[in-house]
């Protein structure tokens, strides 16, 4: 089918233009997919939160409220995007686009299934981590340009938080990179053909997974680390002054970032699109192979997503100094020691 | 050494306590039968409203379109926020004597706080608190209404049959 | 003129800035306006501004008769509406020297404790909410809803029920009252462990509240704090114990006192107070005396000229009702000593040097009701 589309494009646009049109189409498809998934996860989050709190959640739009998220998006599209009179208008208007663009960029090297990968970069993991940290500039921009003290405080908190938690997230990723000996996303997934890293990486991989889970939740600015938008303290933090579609972009970026983090975690620790294999259980392994790889991938992604949602609706929020204490006194030292242990294990070749 | 032990035991205890909280919310997620909220306009038929629920002041009329109000204005005096206005008129009875009777019992639901003091003050049980509660209107002048029905009159006291 | 304005608002230096929390802010629970001078995240100075919800209840009381003004007090501390009404009724009864029937006394006490329970449950939920945990709010509302249903059945309303009248209570209790209260106690006891699992034992919550917002005993006394705020600083000030009113002299309960004086101590005091309220309800629910629920008093109340004072323990502290009568059917002057007003005074000494996040925790632990401050 892909070749058929390719031939059709060459027919219409000629050989020089066709690849570019193809890129645009692929980009469009990915963006549509991501937006659709974000909308689904918004609905999921609302329903999960409601059930955890003995509520029914959205029930009115569509059967069981399934169309609620679409209705919300439609409402936000129709709303006016206000710009405060005293705001730095250019920065104020650029910031949401920057945040959203950055989170879309990080999708490029993700392998959804063996055949579906946009850009098999040999430093894919490095690319994702570096690109996703550009998003903090958008947040700082939004907070500064709003000319609102709450926004500024939120942006500053967010800056401090993301810069510090990136360290331990990076170290947790490094543990796996070291074990698998590859920085490319497909290479890491291939290295897990005989078992996922969380199973065959011994204790260092499990500790790295826990650190990655905590640090990436913190990088997402979600509860219990949602200090940047701490509703009870800073009303809405860095996006206090945003409304309409500009607000929706921050919202969308939050959910796309959730997907990226889940996808990265799935790729690194849970074997990407690799099916679950248990050594010795041949018939079981055969059965698992029957399930298509993209279902494996999205199943794992949604499980990690569910964990992030579960954290949010259970825990109270940390204070800014406690947040930094958790990073610098607990996660970073443990992560570093863990990295050394991981190195020793890799060096001795104890990996299953 | 002790400090190291404390460091790790604090981490362990924190994780255990956090997992307890997650177990609680997770168990509610898996038990949708414990959901408490209701779908309001759909469940109007099955909605349980206690009989004492104070929704508005109401004047019961019997089948002959008669009520108990003697227009004594005690309820008007008892009302703390002037939501009640009794307008009475004088009518001439067949035997020639004049009598003060109720013309309009004007009730302003918009300013009523449902404190039940008027019902409490009424000596002849002419007014009660009703259970009705869906009163939203677009214009607050629609919240002022007469409680006595048009053409209604005071219930006649049962006279002893003459022997 | 400019001088007076400058005195009213805080001044900041170059490396500090002024931020206005409220009057519209998610964590002030109403229209409280706080002006903060911040040094980064730390609070260098704090100033509360009042009056956004001043309705002049004390003045309104002077133009209403004794029976009428009672309902207004429900609108002060709306979460302990019944206890406010009870205080006014007790003051009026004191002036008239009416003996309230035993049954009415017990019913009033039961209702007051249920009100306290409902109020503390809302506080527990909103504390979680202020700390960023949303789920506790709904778990707290589950039991609170049962209490409100009990109120609805007996009194006709859920929040501002105006159930107390001078001389007793408005209606007799509903036939289902006793069984429903027993069910509530059963369910509350079955669910109390969830409260501990979700918040009390949570290390994040503990680190947010332990050692935060310390209020020394001396400060608590000099700022006239009362209720759980003062008791958490080690002051014994429960009016139910000190000057028992209604049926409190015949029940056994413990006055919860903690000595730490921080947010966590205030949290623990309130949690234990819920259990004590349970104990009081359990003692009274099985022996509600038979008899009249309302003493016969005249339609128009005219207390003899003089001054009358009654204090009660609301869910937030000590409420004093002071009535001056000139012998007419309307009070000459009514003064309410509300607990939240003096508890608010403790906010500044507690939060100086704390972070913004701490301020939210401190306000949650004070359990402020803004209409009660402004009246």
């Amino acid at each position: 089918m892909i070749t058929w589309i390719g031939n059709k494009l060459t027919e219409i646009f000629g050989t020089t233009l066709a690849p570019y049109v193809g890129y645009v189409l692929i980009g469009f498809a990915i963006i549509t997919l991501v937006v659709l998934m974000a909308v689904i996860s918004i609905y999921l989050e609302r329903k999960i939160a409601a059930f955890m709190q003995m509520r029914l959640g959205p029930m009115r739009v569509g059967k069981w409220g399934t169309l609620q998220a679409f209705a919300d998006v439609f409402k936000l599209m129709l709303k006016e995007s206000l710009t405060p009179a005293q705001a730095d208008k250019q920065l104020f208007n650029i910031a949401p686009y920057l945040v959203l663009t950055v989170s879309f960029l990080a999708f490029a090297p993700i392998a959804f299934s063996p055949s579906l990968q946009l850009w098999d970069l040999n430093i894919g993991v490095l690319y994702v981590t570096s690109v996703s940290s550009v998003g903090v500039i958008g947040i700082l921009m939004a907070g500064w340009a709003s000319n609102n003290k709450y926004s500024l405080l939120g942006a500053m908190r967010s800056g401090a938080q993301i810069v510090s938690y990136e360290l331990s997230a990076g170290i947790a990723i490094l543990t796996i990179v070291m074990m698998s000996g590859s920085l490319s996303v497909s290479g890491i997934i291939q290295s897990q053909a005989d078992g996922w890293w969380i199973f065959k990486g011994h204790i260092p991989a499990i500790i790295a997974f826990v650190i990655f889970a905590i640090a990436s939740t913190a990088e997402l600015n979600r509860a219990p680390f949602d200090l940047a938008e701490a509703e009870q303290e800073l009303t809405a933090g860095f996006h206090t002054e945003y409304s309409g579609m500009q607000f929706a972009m921050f919202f969308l970026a939050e959910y796309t970032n959730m997907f990226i983090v889940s996808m990265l975690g799935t790729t690194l620790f849970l074997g990407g699109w690799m099916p679950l294999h248990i050594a010795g259980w041949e018939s079981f392994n055969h059965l698992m192979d029957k399930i298509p790889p993209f279902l494996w991938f999205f199943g794992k992604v949604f499980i990690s997503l569910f964990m992030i949602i579960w954290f949010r609706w259970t825990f109270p929020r940390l204070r800014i100094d406690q947040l930094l204490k958790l990073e610098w006194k607990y996660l970073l030292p443990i992560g570093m020691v863990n990295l050394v242990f991981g190195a020793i294990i890799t060096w001795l070749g104890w990996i299953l | 050494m002790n400090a190291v032990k404390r460091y790790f035991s604090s981490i362990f205890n924190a994780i255990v306590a956090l997992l307890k909280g997650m177990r609680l919310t997770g168990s509610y997620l898996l038990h949708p039968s414990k959901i408490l909220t209701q779908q309001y306009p759909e469940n109007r038929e099955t909605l349980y409203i206690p009989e004492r629920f104070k929704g508005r002041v109401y004047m019961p009329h019997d089948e002959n379109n008669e009520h108990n109000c003697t227009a004594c204005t005690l309820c008007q005096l008892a009302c703390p926020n002037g939501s009640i206005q009794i307008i009475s008129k004088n009518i001439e009875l067949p035997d020639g004597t004049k009598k003060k009777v109720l013309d309009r019992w004007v009730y302003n639901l918009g300013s009523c706080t449902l404190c039940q003091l008027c019902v409490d003050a009424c000596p002849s049980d002419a007014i009660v608190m009703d259970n009705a509660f869906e009163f939203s209107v677009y214009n607050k002048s629609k919240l002022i209404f007469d409680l006595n029905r048009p053409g209604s009159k005071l219930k006649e006291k049962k006279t002893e049959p003459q022997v | 003129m400019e001088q007076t304005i400058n005195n009213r608002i805080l001044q900041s230096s170059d490396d500090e800035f002024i931020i206005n929390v409220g009057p519209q802010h998610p964590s002030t629970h109403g229209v409280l306006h706080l002006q903060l001078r911040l040094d980064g995240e730390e609070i260098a100075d704090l100033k509360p501004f009042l009056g956004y919800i001043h309705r002049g209840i004390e003045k309104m009381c002077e133009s209403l008769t004794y029976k009428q003004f009672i309902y207004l007090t429900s609108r002060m501390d709306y979460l302990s509406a019944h206890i406010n009404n009870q205080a006014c009724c007790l003051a009026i009864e004191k002036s008239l020297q009416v003996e309230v029937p035993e049954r009415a006394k017990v019913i009033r006490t039961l209702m007051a404790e249920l009100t306290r329970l409902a109020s503390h449950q809302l506080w527990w939920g909103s504390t979680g909410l202020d700390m960023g945990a949303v789920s506790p709010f709904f778990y707290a509302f589950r039991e609170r809803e049962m209490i409100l249903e009990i109120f609805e059945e007996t009194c006709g309303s859920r929040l501002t029920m105006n159930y107390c009248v001078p001389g007793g209570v408005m209606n007799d209790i509903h036939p289902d009252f006793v069984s429903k209260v027993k069910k509530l106690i059963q369910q509350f006891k079955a669910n109390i462990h969830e409260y501990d699992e979700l918040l009390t034992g949570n290390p994040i919550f503990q680190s947010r509240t332990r050692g935060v917002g310390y209020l020394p005993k001396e400060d608590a006394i000099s700022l006239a704090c009362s209720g759980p705020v003062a008791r958490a600083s080690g002051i014994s000030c429960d009016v139910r114990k000190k000057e028992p009113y209604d049926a409190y002299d015949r029940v056994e309960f413990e006055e919860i006192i903690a000595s730490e004086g921080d947010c966590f101590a205030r949290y623990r005091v309130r949690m234990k107070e819920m259990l004590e309220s349970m104990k009081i309800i359990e003692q009274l629910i099985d022996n509600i005396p038979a008899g009249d629920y309302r003493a016969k008093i005249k339609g128009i109340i005219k207390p003899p000229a003089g001054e009358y004072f009654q204090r009660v323990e609301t869910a937030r502290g000590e409420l004093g009702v002071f009535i001056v009568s000139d012998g007419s059917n309307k009070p000459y002057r009514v003064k309410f000593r509300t607990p939240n007003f003096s508890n608010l005074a403790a906010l500044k000494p507690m939060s100086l040097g704390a972070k913004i996040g701490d301020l939210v925790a401190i306000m949650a632990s004070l359990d402020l009701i803004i209409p009660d401050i402004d009246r």
Side-chain angles (χ1 to χ4, degrees):
Chain A
M1 174 150 145
I2 288 162
T3 44
W4 180 79
I5 292 171
N7 292 338
K8 210 71 183 158
L9 282 177
T10 343
E11 240 173 65
I12 299 167
F13 295 100
T15 37
T16 40
L17 265 181
Y20 297 102
V21 176
Y23 291 148
V24 170
L25 279 182
I26 290 169
F28 197 73
I30 290 289
I31 288 174
T32 316
L33 179 76
V34 168
V35 170
L36 200 68
M37 284 198 304
V39 165
I40 290 169
S41 63
I42 290 169
Y43 173 73
L44 270 182
E45 164 144 37
R46 291 183 67 172
K47 272 292 181 195
I48 290 172
F51 275 60
M52 279 178 178
Q53 296 164 350
M54 299 173 286
R55 296 184 286 125
L56 284 166
M59 288 292 280
R60 298 279 172 209
V61 190
K63 180 89 179 157
W64 285 88
T66 34
L67 300 175
Q68 182 66 50
F70 293 98
D72 289 345
V73 170
F74 190 60
K75 184 208 83 174
L76 285 169
M77 275 173 161
L78 294 178
K79 264 178 88 172
E80 184 189 358
S81 295
L82 284 170
T83 311
Q86 300 293 315
D88 187 335
K89 292 201 175 51
Q90 282 167 351
L91 287 185
F92 186 84
N93 289 322
I94 291 170
Y97 294 95
L98 186 77
V99 172
L100 194 62
T101 312
V102 160
S103 51
F104 279 140
L105 276 180
F107 270 99
I110 301 284
F112 298 97
S113 77
S115 54
L116 187 58
Q117 189 177 11
L118 280 185
W119 188 21
D120 192 4
L121 193 61
N122 60 355
I123 49 162
V125 175
L126 183 68
Y127 171 82
V128 173
T129 47
S130 52
V131 158
S132 61
S133 60
V134 179
V136 71
I137 294 174
I139 290 173
L140 280 171
M141 217 188 243
W144 171 257
S146 300
N147 197 12
N148 176 326
K149 286 164 188 167
Y150 284 122
S151 305
L152 186 64
L153 267 175
M156 288 304 163
R157 280 179 176 192
S158 173
Q161 178 182 336
I162 292 181
V163 167
S164 18
Y165 274 87
E166 224 147 54
L167 285 174
S168 34
I171 282 175
I173 291 170
L174 210 57
T175 315
I176 296 304
V177 168
M178 190 177 60
M179 283 177 178
S180 62
S182 166
L183 263 176
S184 93
V185 169
S186 54
I188 289 174
I189 294 177
Q190 284 305 331
S191 72
Q192 300 181 72
D194 53 343
W196 305 351
W197 279 119
I198 195 160
F199 296 134
K200 68 173 180 174
H202 297 294
I203 292 165
I206 293 168
I207 293 176
F209 180 68
V210 172
I211 290 175
F212 180 79
I214 296 171
S216 55
T217 316
E219 268 191 85
L220 288 171
N221 280 335
R222 278 176 66 89
F225 307 102
D226 60 342
L227 284 112
E229 44 197 292
E231 196 198 325
Q232 284 75 21
E233 295 157 31
L234 305 177
T235 55
F238 63 89
H239 58 65
T240 307
E241 296 286 355
Y242 284 90
S243 58
M245 210 52 212
Q246 289 179 333
F247 165 74
M249 280 181 181
F250 280 116
F251 204 64
L252 198 61
E254 184 187 324
Y255 281 87
T256 25
N257 281 334
M258 263 167 77
F259 267 103
I260 289 163
V261 161
S262 312
M263 283 170 176
L264 196 62
T266 305
T267 308
L268 292 171
F269 297 96
L270 304 177
W273 42 261
M274 283 289 174
L276 178 68
H277 279 183
I278 297 170
W281 295 19
E282 285 311 317
S283 53
F284 175 78
N285 292 349
H286 206 68
L287 196 71
M288 291 289 120
D289 284 336
K290 284 269 194 305
I291 301 171
F294 74 90
L295 273 190
W296 271 109
F297 184 72
F298 281 108
K300 291 172 195 172
V301 166
F302 272 101
I303 286 170
S304 346
L305 214 61
F306 171 69
M307 290 301 287
I308 296 174
I309 293 171
W310 198 358
F311 287 149
R312 174 169 176 184
W313 297 102
T314 309
F315 298 140
R317 181 186 307 122
L318 280 92
R319 208 170 58 207
I320 182 77
D321 57 323
Q322 290 160 356
L323 180 93
L324 297 177
K325 192 174 126 190
L326 174 69
E327 161 65 16
W328 296 100
K329 283 193 177 167
Y330 291 91
L331 291 187
L332 195 61
I334 292 175
M336 282 178 159
V337 172
N338 187 46
L339 184 66
V340 173
F341 275 117
I344 292 169
I345 283 177
T346 319
W347 181 52
L348 292 175
W350 280 358
I351 294 159
L352 292 172
Chain B
M1 198 59 220
N2 246 346
V4 175
K5 204 187 253 174
R6 226 180 302 128
Y7 178 86
F8 282 107
S9 71
S10 73
I11 295 175
F12 181 74
N13 290 337
I15 289 173
V16 167
L18 290 177
L19 285 179
K20 265 187 192 167
M22 285 179 68
R23 190 186 62 191
L24 183 68
T25 47
S27 80
Y28 276 107
L29 176 70
L30 297 177
H31 293 88
S33 58
K34 286 186 180 171
I35 285 177
L36 294 170
T37 49
Q38 299 167 2
Q39 294 284 296
Y40 159 57
E42 285 89 348
N43 71 349
R44 225 185 242 131
E45 273 74 43
T46 56
L47 207 60
Y48 169 65
I49 299 166
E51 73 252 45
R52 283 186 196 173
F53 174 73
K54 295 187 270 194
R56 64 168 171 187
V57 180
Y58 182 70
M59 186 180 279
H61 289 66
D62 66 2
E63 64 276 6
N64 303 326
N65 205 10
E66 288 174 338
H67 54 74
N68 274 337
C69 183
T70 56
C72 66
T73 71
L74 273 178
C75 49
Q76 190 179 344
L77 290 172
C79 183
N81 36 34
S83 309
I84 302 171
Q85 202 189 350
I86 310 270
I87 300 169
S88 53
K89 62 182 174 188
N90 286 318
I91 55 162
E92 209 164 307
L93 292 178
D95 55 346
T97 52
K98 281 195 172 173
K99 199 190 170 194
K100 196 175 84 169
V101 293
L102 181 72
D103 183 21
R104 286 171 69 202
W105 205 102
V106 185
Y107 172 51
N108 186 352
L109 182 61
S111 68
C112 178
T113 54
L114 307 168
C115 63
Q116 217 184 346
L117 286 177
C118 51
V119 177
D120 200 40
C122 184
S124 43
D125 295 334
I127 44 176
V128 291
M129 298 303 280
D130 195 4
N131 276 349
F133 58 95
E134 289 162 321
F135 295 120
S136 39
V137 287
Y138 282 108
N139 188 339
K140 71 176 178 182
S141 64
K142 287 182 185 156
L143 288 173
I144 304 171
F145 24 71
D146 292 356
L147 284 194
N148 57 327
R149 291 185 191 148
S152 62
K153 57 178 194 283
L154 179 66
K155 208 175 276 179
E156 296 287 330
K157 283 219 180 81
K158 271 186 194 145
T159 44
E160 296 280 316
Q162 288 182 346
V163 185
Chain C
M1 185 62 198
E2 201 166 291
Q3 193 62 43
T4 48
I5 289 171
N6 282 345
N7 283 344
R8 282 198 62 209
I9 56 171
L10 297 170
Q11 299 293 309
S12 68
S13 59
D14 279 351
D15 50 353
E16 293 170 330
F17 62 98
I18 303 285
I19 197 165
N20 283 293
V21 177
Q24 304 291 333
H25 190 274
S27 72
T28 53
H29 300 289
V31 285
L32 181 66
H33 176 191
L34 297 173
Q35 220 172 45
L36 308 179
R37 196 174 81 216
L38 289 178
D39 179 12
E41 283 261 347
E42 269 178 25
I43 296 165
D45 202 357
L46 177 148
K47 202 167 192 175
F49 287 82
L50 307 179
Y52 287 94
I53 194 164
H54 178 74
R55 292 146 297 173
I57 286 181
E58 288 176 7
K59 191 71 189 164
M60 279 162 86
C61 289
E62 291 170 20
S63 60
L64 294 172
T65 65
Y66 282 94
K67 265 189 184 174
Q68 284 173 349
F69 85 72
I70 293 166
Y71 94 100
L72 273 177
T73 57
S74 319
R75 274 77 181 169
M76 295 194 316
D77 182 353
Y78 47 81
L79 289 181
S80 10
H82 175 82
I83 312 181
N84 294 356
N85 295 347
Q86 194 185 7
C88 296
C89 291
L90 284 165
I92 295 168
E93 281 150 16
K94 212 185 232 177
S95 69
L96 294 174
Q97 292 175 331
V98 181
E99 190 50 42
V100 181
E102 287 297 299
R103 186 177 174 82
K105 280 185 179 176
V106 172
I107 293 173
R108 276 182 184 183
T109 313
L110 273 170
M111 287 292 177
E113 287 311 310
L114 286 172
T115 309
R116 192 184 318 279
L117 210 55
S119 166
H120 279 358
Q121 266 157 359
L122 183 73
W123 156 83
W124 184 79
S126 65
T127 299
L129 205 59
D130 281 349
M131 305 277 181
V134 187
S135 297
F137 196 68
F138 294 93
Y139 296 142
F141 261 60
R142 174 184 44 188
E143 272 88 45
R144 188 178 132 84
E145 191 62 29
M146 283 188 81
I147 300 177
L148 294 188
E149 264 166 28
I150 292 169
F151 286 161
E152 200 180 0
E153 266 191 345
T154 296
C155 321
S157 305
R158 293 157 64 86
L159 201 65
T160 52
M161 49 227 197
N162 196 32
Y163 186 54
C164 263
V165 288
V169 289
M170 187 78 88
N171 306 312
D172 201 359
I173 50 171
H174 195 267
D176 292 345
F177 180 77
V178 174
S179 62
K180 285 228 169 167
V181 170
K182 278 182 180 163
K183 207 178 136 205
L184 165 83
I185 294 172
Q186 205 183 353
Q187 193 187 327
F188 186 80
K189 285 197 170 157
N191 287 335
I192 192 86
H193 73 97
E194 293 183 355
Y195 289 46
D196 294 339
E197 279 173 22
L198 214 52
L199 272 190
T200 320
N202 192 305
I204 302 175
F205 177 78
Q206 288 195 3
S207 61
R208 281 291 301 273
T209 49
R210 247 186 234 277
V212 169
Y214 175 63
L215 183 69
K217 192 175 179 178
E218 295 73 33
D219 277 15
I221 293 172
S222 60
L223 292 167
C225 293
S226 58
V229 178
R231 286 199 283 279
S233 294
I235 304 164
S236 160
C237 63
D238 199 330
V239 182
R240 294 176 291 173
K241 278 271 184 214
K242 303 269 182 249
E243 283 178 26
Y245 52 94
D246 277 343
Y248 284 112
D249 49 356
R250 76 192 69 166
V251 288
E252 276 183 23
F253 66 101
E254 211 181 307
E255 184 182 356
I256 310 293
I257 295 172
S259 54
E260 291 92 338
D262 56 0
C263 287
F264 196 63
R266 289 190 278 279
Y267 174 86
R268 270 202 349 266
V269 165
R270 285 207 178 84
M271 292 302 276
K272 281 188 188 160
E273 249 177 40
M274 281 202 239
L275 296 176
E276 291 304 315
S277 292
M278 280 281 138
K279 232 196 249 172
I280 296 173
I281 294 168
E282 273 178 336
Q283 286 171 44
L284 290 177
I285 192 67
D286 280 327
N287 20 6
I288 304 174
D292 236 357
Y293 61 89
R294 193 171 178 180
K296 283 262 176 291
I297 56 168
K298 276 190 226 136
I300 295 165
I301 300 172
K302 280 186 182 172
E307 295 173 356
Y308 307 99
F309 181 70
Q310 173 68 42
R311 50 187 203 146
V312 295
E313 181 81 15
T314 74
R316 277 157 199 79
E318 182 186 323
L319 172 76
V321 177
F322 181 65
I323 299 175
V324 181
S325 165
D326 56 357
S328 71
N329 63 344
K330 288 170 185 171
Y332 178 74
R333 173 84 169 93
V334 181
K335 161 80 186 153
F336 298 111
R337 180 255 181 248
T338 51
N340 283 311
F341 184 77
S342 34
N343 285 356
L344 175 70
L347 184 61
K348 187 180 170 181
M350 281 198 272
S351 47
L352 287 187
K355 310 252 183 319
I356 304 176
D358 291 337
L359 177 76
V360 175
I362 292 166
M363 290 220 289
S365 77
L366 281 179
D367 195 11
L368 296 174
I369 296 285
I370 313 304
D372 195 34
I373 299 172
D374 281 348
R375 299 196 285 286

